[in-house]
Amino acid sequence: MGHSQAQKAETRERLIGEAAAQIRKDGLESVSVAGLMSSAGLTHGGFYRHFGSRSALIAEALRRALSDGEAKAKASVAAAPTGLRASVRSYLSRTHRDSPQTGCAIAALVSDVGRADPAARAVMTERIEAFIGGTARQLGREDDRAAIVAVSAMVGALALSRVLTDPKRSDQVLRTVRDYLIETLGEEA
Amino acid sequence: MGHSQAQKAETRERLIGEAAAQIRKDGLESVSVAGLMSSAGLTHGGFYRHFGSRSALIAEALRRALSDGEAKAKASVAAAPTGLRASVRSYLSRTHRDSPQTGCAIAALVSDVGRADPAARAVMTERIEAFIGGTARQLGREDDRAAIVAVSAMVGALALSRVLTDPKRSDQVLRTVRDYLIETLGEEA
DNA sequence: TGTACATCAGTGAACGCGCGTTCACTGATGTAC
DNA sequence: TGTACATCAGTGAACGCGCGTTCACTGATGTAC
């Protein structure tokens, strides 16, 4: 078995990435040391060559999950730079709803992190502020009141759409909030 | 030790109530059989005289958590029947944010239930629809599009406010969404 | 009304299991000469 | 460039622990006579 320094860094990356995806899909508690290592094709003992403890991994993976989601949002906006309209359309899409592993970690984990320790809340707070700030910039406003409303509605609608058992009703919630935001805020922008 | 039929029903009630509060405070996974029984002053063995399994208890407690939150919302509206204004004010209050154990279980558990099994999602779906329906009624509209937006924004804002580490900023998010909803929807109602 | 008996809420020990963590070991890596 | 050696990523067995669940037991409840 090879294990150069480069390979170590690569393994660490793989572990964090895998844990981040799993966290968004099944929550912070779903990640186990043995499970993570085995899904990376390794045995559990080696875990502690990369992380001091399970909770250190979780902290790192939460950070990754949040910044991945943000990076993806930025990329999608860069690809279709129509400002708010494009962001809202992509955020409140069925694709986003159905792919929590790769989507916005704020919506995927709000209520979990809302009751987590201050360190985890601080990590997500940064990303919420970045989301609000980005939206405010797209709106071209001085104050961020409209952005706060838009972000609350987007996060709420996406999270709710993942609970609703009727797919049509779930679609409708996404569509309704999407149309409302584009119409109401788009005009004033 | 006494254990009449009335006492059994009382014990069961106490267990569900305690589990429901704990679920809203610390999530679905936080409830353990031994912990619940001991916090009710009992030993763990007796648990199975009341519930077939831990997951049966969780299902029951989730249902309770959701209907408690709804009952409370109805009561607060009944006490100050000013319609939407009163509901929004109470929902987006600091008190509500700081008391998840007794507050809206939708906001406390959206992202958890969003990745739970269909049975749990169905239970919460009912309550989301009731929340939307109630809001639509307060708005006096035929269609519920405005209610969907309002509910999304309320749930999103409350959940986000519990993550934000700066209390002032958290207050501001609640206040901003509250004022927005009262102004925008209040006028048209 | 009084007695005998079945029921069953609650007790507490025990179970198997998966968890996070530790540790002695391995062998390829990468450095010192 | 070639050899000797320290490092350390990854292995796999072992640990203590808390979990959900089972079970033989207890004694008050409540019913049958």
Side-chain angles (χ1 to χ4, degrees):
Chain A
M1 82 215 65
H3 47 265
S4 67
Q5 285 169 3
Q7 276 171 329
K8 176 179 186 183
E10 198 189 297
T11 299
R12 188 188 151 89
E13 275 301 297
R14 207 151 36 98
L15 292 174
I16 296 175
E18 170 65 26
Q22 203 180 315
I23 277 178
R24 281 188 286 189
K25 192 163 162 286
D26 296 316
L28 293 165
E29 297 312 311
S30 76
V31 179
S32 75
V33 171
L36 176 66
M37 294 304 280
S38 126
S39 85
L42 298 168
T43 54
H44 60 279
F47 176 84
Y48 295 89
R49 297 285 167 186
H50 297 284
F51 307 98
S53 66
R54 175 181 179 276
S55 84
L57 177 262
I58 298 293
E60 203 77 54
L62 174 60
R63 203 181 304 274
R64 172 67 57 87
L66 286 155
S67 63
D68 277 358
E70 200 185 338
K72 221 204 164 191
K74 273 183 189 154
S76 94
V77 168
T82 344
L84 186 79
R85 194 183 200 86
S87 303
V88 171
R89 270 184 185 285
S90 128
Y91 197 92
L92 295 176
S93 65
R94 277 167 297 164
T95 308
H96 190 187
R97 176 196 62 202
D98 297 336
S99 324
Q101 322 90 31
T102 58
C104 174
I106 298 172
L109 301 166
V110 233
S111 48
D112 302 71
V113 176
R115 56 181 178 259
D117 57 272
R121 289 170 50 219
V123 174
M124 188 177 279
T125 291
E126 269 181 51
R127 298 304 156 170
I128 293 171
E129 292 296 357
F131 194 5
I132 293 173
T135 304
R137 232 170 295 120
Q138 287 181 320
L139 286 168
R141 305 270 184 85
E142 286 277 324
D143 79 308
D144 60 6
R145 301 201 315 120
I148 288 174
V149 173
V151 166
S152 296
M154 284 194 279
V155 170
L158 183 60
L160 288 173
S161 78
R162 286 177 175 152
V163 174
L164 295 171
T165 45
D166 176 7
K168 293 209 173 140
R169 182 61 164 166
S170 175
D171 291 354
Q172 197 190 349
V173 166
L174 292 178
R175 212 182 321 117
T176 301
V177 175
R178 182 195 70 191
D179 291 350
Y180 178 87
L181 290 177
I182 289 176
E183 283 167 31
T184 313
L185 299 173
E187 283 170 14
E188 308 170 28
Chain B
M1 81 215 62
H3 46 266
S4 67
Q5 285 169 1
Q7 276 170 330
K8 176 181 185 182
E10 198 189 298
T11 299
R12 187 187 152 90
E13 276 300 297
R14 206 152 36 101
L15 292 175
I16 296 176
E18 170 65 27
Q22 204 180 314
I23 277 178
R24 280 189 286 190
K25 190 161 162 288
D26 296 315
L28 294 166
E29 298 311 311
S30 77
V31 179
S32 75
V33 172
L36 176 67
M37 293 304 281
S38 126
S39 84
L42 298 169
T43 54
H44 60 278
F47 176 83
Y48 294 88
R49 297 285 167 188
H50 297 284
F51 306 98
S53 66
R54 175 182 178 277
S55 84
L57 177 262
I58 297 294
E60 203 77 55
L62 174 60
R63 203 181 302 274
R64 173 67 57 89
L66 285 154
S67 64
D68 277 358
E70 202 185 336
K72 220 201 164 194
K74 273 185 189 154
S76 94
V77 168
T82 343
L84 186 78
R85 194 183 199 87
S87 303
V88 171
R89 272 186 184 284
S90 128
Y91 197 92
L92 295 177
S93 65
R94 278 169 296 166
T95 309
H96 190 188
R97 176 195 63 202
D98 298 335
S99 323
Q101 321 90 31
T102 57
C104 174
I106 298 173
L109 301 167
V110 232
S111 48
D112 301 72
V113 176
R115 57 181 176 259
D117 57 90
R121 290 170 51 219
V123 173
M124 188 177 278
T125 291
E126 269 181 51
R127 299 302 155 172
I128 293 171
E129 292 296 357
F131 193 5
I132 293 173
T135 304
R137 233 170 294 119
Q138 287 181 320
L139 286 167
R141 305 268 184 88
E142 285 278 322
D143 80 309
D144 59 6
R145 300 199 319 118
I148 288 173
V149 173
V151 166
S152 296
M154 284 195 277
V155 170
L158 183 59
L160 288 172
S161 77
R162 286 177 174 152
V163 173
L164 296 171
T165 46
D166 176 8
K168 292 208 174 140
R169 182 62 164 165
S170 176
D171 290 355
Q172 197 191 347
V173 166
L174 293 177
R175 214 182 320 116
T176 300
V177 175
R178 182 195 70 192
D179 291 351
Y180 179 87
L181 290 177
I182 289 176
E183 283 167 30
T184 311
L185 299 173
E187 284 169 13
E188 307 171 28

